[in-house]
Amino acid sequence: MLIDTYGRTATDLRVSLTDRCNLRCVYCMPEEGLQWLAKPDLLTDDEIVRLVSVAVTALGVTEVRFTGGEPLLRPGLVSIVERCAALAPRPRLSLTTNGIGLARTARALAAAGLDRVNVSLDTLRPEVFIALTRRKRHQDVLDGLAAAHAAGLGPVKVNAVLMPGHNDDEAPDLLAWAIEHGYELRFIEQMPLDAQHGWKRDGMITAGEILASLRTRFTLTPEGEDARGSAPAERWTVDGGPARVGVIASVTRPFCAACDRTRLTADGQVRTCLFATEESDLRGALRSGATDEELAGLWRTAMWGKKAGSGIDDPSFLQPVRPMSAIGG
């Protein structure tokens, strides 16, 4: 098991498959992009499957989420999903994606064993999408969402970040649209994980502001902490249900005390927290001939040192050197 000194057990593994992305979202990376990892630095498909296997069979991981960058850019994605779905015990498998390319891959991913998807979509307005992502791909995301729903990758969850001056007026419209299409919407507070280090606390849309906006049109009833468990999203039923909406308030309402996540970067580093400033190398040990038992031991040691919280509330908080695109969401 992956236990830390505060009594938390990590059972949810987030695996970044690539640092590359085909969008340039303003809250993630600069318009010109970033210097990508060299191919030899990336874990191979076999290495990813082996580390996931160690996590599932030796360390008690029960859920695996594939992230990026943009995981659909990973050529071997379908095979990786299929091989991980064949593990015993079988983990629950999900994918966080920007949705571009999902229209042509959703059916294959479902057949390979993927259980569900989270798709990022911040706006219903194509012109705002271009301003936020610097790409004209809005319809591709909508088509990807529809394909995921048709392929049975549900519940299909939509992740939205509200940005001042862009889409901060869209919360009620996004929720109405998500309910109409049978998607579960989750708003995410903008986090200090942008490559430009331009994030400012006083420039973000808070959970409180999001909920106030939603309540101008909907009646929200909190599900409560028992229903939430270790999930990062606080959830509310909408107008009596069954529709629900979630808010991930990593900045204003940290949920570190219930965190059950461990993270593996595309180049084989264990991260104990999305905001961690230190990493533990598994790739080096793996390529040096470490046994599964030795890899499991290194992973346990890394997680034992997990801090009590992200430190984001501390005035001395240092933004991680790696941006969101390099460590997965």
Side-chain angles (χ1 to χ4, degrees):
M1 298 177 69
L2 293 172
I3 304 171
D4 65 38
T5 55
Y6 297 92
R8 297 168 297 194
T9 301
T11 57
D12 185 332
L13 170 61
R14 308 295 170 95
V15 182
S16 175
L17 298 180
T18 178
D19 58 332
R20 296 173 184 264
C21 189
N22 42 14
L23 297 180
R24 297 291 181 270
C25 297
V26 297
Y27 50 78
C28 187
M29 69 172 74
E31 186 170 5
E32 64 273 17
L34 300 168
Q35 183 174 348
W36 309 122
L37 291 167
K39 187 173 181 179
D41 293 334
L42 293 170
L43 293 175
T44 66
D45 292 2
D46 287 345
E47 289 171 338
I48 289 170
V49 174
R50 183 179 172 195
L51 290 176
V52 171
S53 176
V54 168
V56 169
T57 62
L59 296 173
V61 164
T62 58
E63 181 159 348
V64 178
R65 173 91 60 88
F66 297 110
T67 70
E70 173 45 51
L72 291 179
L73 295 179
R74 179 88 187 199
L77 174 60
V78 172
S79 174
I80 290 171
V81 169
E82 185 173 35
R83 292 167 67 185
C84 290
L87 295 173
R90 185 197 188 282
R92 294 185 298 275
L93 301 174
S94 59
L95 179 79
T96 293
T97 172
N98 61 29
I100 297 173
L102 191 56
R104 64 176 180 270
T105 56
R107 187 168 295 182
L109 287 167
L114 192 70
D115 295 306
R116 64 174 190 81
V117 294
N118 286 28
V119 179
S120 298
L121 180 65
D122 303 320
T123 179
L124 300 176
R125 304 191 294 247
E127 69 279 8
V128 176
F129 184 90
I130 294 173
L132 285 171
T133 69
R134 306 180 177 109
R135 296 292 186 271
K136 191 177 180 180
R137 306 298 297 269
H138 189 254
Q139 188 60 49
D140 293 329
V141 180
L142 296 180
D143 292 345
L145 278 160
H149 190 270
L153 294 173
V156 174
K157 296 184 179 180
V158 177
N159 296 338
V161 176
L162 299 183
M163 298 290 290
H166 289 284
N167 61 341
D168 49 337
D169 61 336
E170 284 198 70
D173 290 340
L174 280 164
L175 180 53
W177 168 84
I179 293 172
E180 177 186 353
H181 288 82
Y183 307 143
E184 184 173 324
L185 180 62
R186 305 193 312 173
F187 292 98
I188 303 176
E189 288 184 335
Q190 184 197 1
M191 294 179 284
L193 291 168
D194 58 308
Q196 312 91 296
H197 287 207
W199 177 87
K200 290 182 174 59
R201 188 182 299 269
D202 57 4
M204 56 171 280
I205 307 299
T206 67
E209 292 167 333
I210 293 167
L211 292 169
S213 178
L214 293 176
R215 286 183 172 122
T216 63
R217 195 182 304 180
F218 303 96
T219 298
L220 304 182
T221 305
E223 284 194 333
E225 292 301 316
D226 290 343
R228 179 183 185 182
S230 59
E234 292 182 76
R235 295 190 305 188
W236 289 260
T237 56
V238 181
D239 292 341
R244 298 179 298 188
V245 64
V247 178
I248 299 177
S250 299
V251 178
T252 63
R253 304 182 186 183
F255 40 86
C256 303
C259 181
D260 66 348
R261 283 165 291 289
T262 183
R263 299 175 181 275
L264 184 66
T265 67
D267 56 350
Q269 310 301 304
V270 171
R271 294 180 67 87
T272 60
C273 173
L274 195 58
F275 301 107
T277 55
E278 298 177 348
E279 299 173 338
S280 300
D281 182 26
L282 290 186
R283 184 191 64 194
L286 188 156
R287 293 182 179 177
S288 296
T291 65
D292 286 358
E293 291 76 14
E294 289 168 335
L295 292 170
L298 291 170
W299 208 327
R300 289 190 190 97
T301 299
M303 293 305 296
W304 183 252
K306 183 172 181 172
K307 296 179 179 179
S310 64
I312 201 168
D313 290 332
D314 193 315
S316 64
F317 172 78
L318 294 176
Q319 181 169 332
V321 174
R322 293 217 209 193
M324 176 74 79
S325 61
I327 57 181

